[in-house]
Amino acid sequence: MRITEATAAKLSLGSYPARLDHAELRRIADLGFAYGWFERPVDLGKVIVKGG
């Protein structure tokens, strides 16, 4: 399937914030556990790399 140039010009790509929202990430991790995506709760302290 091909997308025409006119259609491509109308598309908008998502963007990502420059800073991590810990509350939002916690919510997603909790939902993932609740829905069985993860076998145990996610320890965000172990999966988030702190930059400098």
Side-chain angles (χ1 to χ4, degrees):
M1 178 165 80
R2 296 183 85 49
I3 298 175
T4 66
E5 188 175 334
T7 300
K10 294 177 184 177
L11 293 175
S12 64
L13 301 176
S15 62
Y16 295 92
R19 294 182 184 261
L20 183 63
D21 182 345
H22 289 268
E24 182 66 13
L25 189 57
R26 173 83 271 147
R27 185 181 76 80
I28 293 168
D30 290 345
L31 283 171
F33 177 65
Y35 283 95
W37 300 340
F38 311 119
E39 293 180 5
R40 57 187 173 276
V42 177
D43 181 354
L44 293 179
K46 290 183 178 180
V47 297
I48 298 174
V49 177
K50 295 182 181 179

